[in-house]
Amino acid sequence: MRAVGTARPRVEGPLKVTGAARYAADERRPGMVWGWIVAAAISKGHIAEIDAKETLGMPGVLGVLDHNNAPRLNPDAGNYFGPDGSLQYLQSDAIPYAGRPIALVVAETMEQARAAAAALKVTYHEQPHDTTFSVDHPAKRPASQAFGPEADTGDLEAELAASAVVVDEVYRTPEESHSAMEPHAATAWWEDGDIYAIDSNQGPFSVSQVVSSLFQIDRERVHIRAEHVGGGFGAKTGCGPQLVFAIMASLTFDRPVRVVLTREQVFLSTSARPSTQQRMRIGADADGHLRALYHDAVYSVSPLAEYIEWCIDQSHVQYASSAIRTHLSVVPLDLLPPETMRGPGATPGSFALESAMDEVAERLGMDPVEFRLRNQPDANPVTGHPFSSRRSVECLREGARRFGWGGRDHRPRMRREESLLVGSGVATASFSAGTFPSSATITAEADGTFTVGIGATDIGTGARTALIALAADALGVGVDLIRIKMADSDLGMAWGAGGSRGTTSWSFAILEAARRLREKLADPARPVSATVDTTTLINYQPLRERQTFSAVFAEVTVDPATGEVRVRRLLGMFAVGRVVNPLLARSQLSGAMIMGLSMALHEENVRDPRSARDVNSDFAGYHIAAHADVPDVEADFVPDYDPEDPVGINGLGEIGTAATAAAIANAVWHATGKRHRTLPIRLDRVLEPPSRVA
């Protein structure tokens, strides 16, 4: 291996910094027209009437699509978790949630479409809505166990009773939006009965499958491209409203149609991370060994679709305990169905577990790093399966050394710098790793180069650069001889960019295709190709537990007079298998930690309880970390190699975010002596009365 492990800048970097990279909203088609979405003005109810008379008479308007005239869609179409009612746009007069798209105005220009959409008159029959998340909600039910059974090992109550210290607390995280830089956009057209689209998504092949099902057309007749994507974080894993509306309008008006969501429409009509409430009961002996770990998590869903926010997985993997019990429940509300957001399940789950672990260490008077080290399991504590690789201890020890943790006074509110309180905190996390089926084709060209074709998507992570390196080493040639075609459903089945399984899945297919191609290279005829589909090659029930691990350390300052929290330093140590490109990997993990900082201090969707509508559906009201919020951030790796993977790699997209919010929350406690069990840690939650400040 020569290219793998070498730091190289991303191959598409010059295109992006010069503005030459073409995103979904940049591509034009001859005869293209514009569609503008109209969203419901109520949060639940029915459409009484749509009066399009004025709109249809406006300049450039081709027509209005609504539930009366839109093409019919397959009601059984869905995404990863089964049928998804949120995809049934314009199929009835029902309005199930705030911001539901209810019409599309199509016109010759964007400006004409926008003006005409504003003139569309809609009247409603409004109904009471229910968007209040509560663990006591009467509709609460058990969550799907499609990701595996809940844990129930040992005698929980007996172990709690025998514990010297017990923490029994509740932790809450709010609904959060993905906030990708590029809004959702699509251009679609029909040609000889086939659907073509340039779309902003994280998996063209899986999106083509959904489109095929929705419009009841053979998948081979659906052609989806996503050449460049300006971020997704999970919001673009499925088939977005922009694509469905563009395809329907193109079918209706026989023209290529572009639909681009406004920033507000992105907030209102694309998915979010659900609200969670998690109860942790942890018992430990006086010497710091865990006896009992109970994790009960509840999150919000929509009646329109199933979804799993697997918060409890952290408690299945992280620590050894005599008894472990987990439970996962959902509360259906009148909301858009939630979707995976970076570090799904693990990020809110880590906040609860790692905050509670910190509280146990506090009550024991024990160093939080030592407490975590004392409870590391040799195998999965629930299933008993051995880990393929587990470097959590190395992450903690090396992180503590680099951070200067050794001189830390574990008592809170002991360190001051003039009016500021200073504290430090730590948290760990894990995220499941693995490989999903993908296909790849490699062609040896007549000019001595090699063309790799794979349906992978680069959403800003540098996937192109990483896959070129993997292909070059697999073929035993330099990276300058590798060309790559990607992000096109016509290139074959491929897992999307998500779940920290993109690179592992795509590289497996590329390596196998390279192996088969090398067997053909004795034949001088060119071009010659090899194609592979890894579906039958993957071991779906490995005997070993594959996980990535992290330890994140944070230093904060707190001004108790203003409530302002500033993160001064972030250090993350990661065990993610073999690192394909250290430069891009560090960039991805640094960005992930900054996203975790944003979660800890800023991010929350705020709804008006009377209207159920978001009141902060833009970047002025929905706060995310800006440049001034970003401290000294360092991401690095401990040596790791996963023997379950042909190259020894694991995913790293999710693990960077997971532990950061908990590390910051623990640091805020260390600075102030006040435990924050609800995110974000806002000014009003930190602000102290004058008597306390003094």
Side-chain angles (χ1 to χ4, degrees):
M1 291 289 185
R2 296 185 300 272
V4 171
T6 300
R8 286 186 172 88
R10 61 189 65 207
V11 296
E12 81 283 7
L15 296 177
K16 290 182 174 178
V17 299
T18 60
R22 308 290 288 180
Y23 292 83
D26 297 325
E27 300 282 359
R28 299 192 68 86
R29 297 290 303 175
M32 187 185 77
V33 295
W34 289 78
W36 197 273
I37 286 175
V38 177
I42 64 172
S43 297
K44 188 176 182 181
H46 294 269
I47 299 169
E49 182 184 12
I50 294 180
D51 182 357
K53 187 181 302 181
E54 180 181 348
T55 295
L56 292 171
M58 295 179 70
V61 173
L62 278 67
V64 177
L65 285 180
D66 60 35
H67 65 280
N68 296 302
N69 62 357
R72 297 297 93 184
L73 302 174
N74 175 14
D76 295 325
N79 283 309
Y80 304 111
F81 299 104
D84 185 349
S86 69
L87 291 169
Q88 299 300 306
Y89 300 111
L90 311 186
Q91 300 301 289
S92 75
D93 63 0
I95 299 171
Y97 57 83
R100 173 74 168 182
I102 58 171
L104 184 77
V105 177
V106 181
E108 295 287 348
T109 70
M110 180 188 71
E111 293 79 8
Q112 290 170 338
R114 180 175 58 191
L120 190 68
K121 294 181 173 61
V122 185
T123 55
Y124 305 92
H125 292 307
E126 192 166 3
Q127 295 176 325
H129 58 262
D130 179 10
T131 58
T132 303
F133 176 62
S134 168
V135 296
D136 299 320
H137 197 287
K140 176 182 170 183
R141 61 171 175 82
S144 167
Q145 293 194 23
F147 286 178
E150 295 165 338
D152 189 4
T153 66
D155 188 331
L156 181 79
E157 297 302 329
E159 296 294 344
L160 284 169
S163 297
V165 168
V166 174
V167 164
D168 187 346
E169 299 291 352
V170 173
Y171 305 85
R172 298 175 176 86
T173 62
E175 182 183 347
E176 299 165 351
S177 287
H178 299 74
S179 304
M181 184 181 295
E182 178 204 21
H184 296 56
T187 303
W189 64 98
W190 289 74
E191 188 175 308
D192 299 327
D194 284 22
I195 300 172
Y196 293 83
I198 301 165
D199 182 45
S200 180
N201 68 63
Q202 296 179 222
F205 187 84
S206 61
V207 169
S208 75
Q209 291 177 305
V210 176
V211 169
S212 167
S213 178
L214 267 176
F215 290 89
Q216 300 187 76
I217 181 175
D218 290 343
R219 201 220 59 82
E220 290 73 17
R221 307 197 72 172
V222 180
H223 314 274
I224 307 294
R225 287 194 289 123
E227 184 70 16
H228 294 285
V229 181
F233 311 117
K236 298 174 183 174
T237 53
C239 181
Q242 76 285 350
L243 181 57
V244 179
F245 277 92
I247 293 172
M248 287 197 293
S250 179
L251 176 62
T252 303
F253 299 104
D254 196 26
R255 299 272 293 273
V257 179
R258 172 176 294 167
V259 177
V260 180
L261 302 189
T262 66
R263 183 62 64 187
E264 182 182 34
Q265 288 170 346
V266 171
F267 274 90
L268 295 178
S269 60
T270 68
S271 58
R273 195 197 301 274
S275 304
T276 76
Q277 180 168 317
Q278 303 173 67
R279 183 186 179 192
M280 302 297 310
R281 299 169 69 199
I282 299 181
D285 285 332
D287 65 358
H289 286 96
L290 292 179
R291 299 186 67 101
L293 197 164
Y294 172 77
H295 191 166
D296 177 56
V298 187
Y299 62 94
S300 58
V301 293
S302 165
L304 296 175
E306 189 59 82
Y307 173 72
I308 304 173
E309 186 73 9
W310 193 238
C311 308
I312 58 177
D313 188 50
Q314 296 292 292
S315 294
H316 288 206
V317 176
Q318 285 287 79
Y319 300 111
S321 178
S322 301
I324 300 177
R325 185 177 302 167
T326 61
H327 188 62
L328 196 64
S329 304
V330 300
V331 175
L333 299 172
D334 297 324
L335 301 170
L336 179 69
E339 184 56 273
T340 57
M341 184 171 170
R342 196 171 194 177
T347 302
S350 172
F351 171 66
L353 175 61
E354 290 299 293
S355 294
M357 287 290 288
D358 219 61
E359 295 203 51
V360 177
E362 170 196 343
R363 298 184 193 185
L364 288 169
M366 183 175 292
D367 177 77
V369 170
E370 175 57 31
F371 178 52
R372 287 168 172 82
L373 289 171
R374 195 164 294 190
N375 289 285
Q376 295 295 308
D378 296 323
N380 183 297
V382 174
T383 66
H385 292 165
F387 292 99
S388 61
S389 173
R390 185 182 176 94
R391 299 288 184 268
S392 183
V393 168
E394 290 83 347
C395 288
L396 275 165
R397 286 183 171 155
E398 179 60 14
R401 185 190 69 80
R402 294 194 191 188
F403 195 75
W405 186 269
R408 177 183 183 270
D409 188 331
H410 69 270
R411 296 171 298 173
R413 212 177 177 94
M414 297 299 292
R415 185 177 167 193
R416 286 180 176 268
E417 293 180 3
E418 297 181 347
S419 63
L420 299 178
L421 301 172
V422 183
S424 54
V426 63
T428 66
S430 61
F431 196 86
S432 63
T435 305
F436 286 158
S438 291
S439 60
T441 297
I442 304 180
T443 301
E445 307 287 358
D447 63 359
T449 63
F450 296 84
T451 300
V452 177
I454 188 163
T457 314
D458 192 331
I459 61 172
T461 60
R464 284 179 180 82
T465 311
L467 296 181
I468 286 173
L470 286 158
D473 282 356
L475 292 166
V477 301
V479 294
D480 57 318
L481 295 180
I482 304 296
R483 303 167 182 163
I484 191 164
K485 296 178 180 178
M486 61 189 302
D488 189 330
S489 63
D490 289 350
L491 293 171
M493 178 268 297
W495 177 248
S500 282
R501 284 167 168 79
T503 303
T504 53
S505 302
W506 306 326
S507 65
F508 188 4
I510 287 173
L511 264 62
E512 184 63 21
R515 184 187 67 79
R516 296 185 187 184
L517 179 63
R518 293 181 73 163
E519 294 173 354
K520 299 180 179 182
L521 291 182
D523 187 343
R526 295 290 187 277
V528 60
S529 300
T531 299
V532 68
D533 180 335
T534 62
T535 302
T536 60
L537 304 177
I538 295 173
N539 180 5
Y540 289 98
Q541 293 182 327
L543 299 178
R544 295 181 180 273
E545 181 85 30
R546 289 185 67 178
Q547 297 277 337
T548 56
F549 297 92
S550 71
V552 175
F553 295 78
E555 181 177 284
V556 305
T557 62
V558 180
D559 188 335
T562 65
E564 184 177 12
V565 177
R566 289 283 183 180
V567 178
R568 182 179 285 175
R569 283 195 296 153
L570 278 178
L571 167 67
M573 295 301 301
F574 300 94
V576 293
R578 193 176 187 189
V579 178
V580 177
N581 186 318
L583 175 66
L584 301 185
R586 284 192 179 93
S587 174
Q588 193 173 354
L589 290 168
S590 296
M593 286 194 288
I594 292 167
M595 195 169 182
L597 181 158
S598 201
M599 176 187 184
L601 302 183
H602 303 303
E603 295 191 44
E604 60 177 332
N605 288 0
V606 179
R607 294 183 181 275
D608 184 326
R610 295 165 298 178
S611 69
R613 294 181 70 85
D614 281 343
V615 299
N616 61 336
S617 53
D618 54 42
F619 284 163
Y622 185 90
H623 294 170
I624 56 177
H627 189 76
D629 299 307
V630 178
D632 175 11
V633 179
E634 181 184 356
D636 209 349
F637 315 96
V638 299
D640 195 15
Y641 186 97
D642 195 318
E644 295 292 321
D645 185 84
V647 192
I649 64 176
N650 270 327
L652 53 77
E654 324 290 347
I655 189 65
T657 302
T660 308
I664 292 171
N666 292 337
V668 172
W669 168 80
H670 187 236
T672 65
K674 179 180 179 181
R675 185 67 66 175
H676 290 270
R677 303 185 182 97
T678 298
L679 294 183
I681 306 173
R682 299 191 314 243
L683 301 179
D684 59 302
R685 292 172 173 160
V686 179
L687 189 67
E688 296 183 0
S691 58
R692 174 67 169 161
V693 172

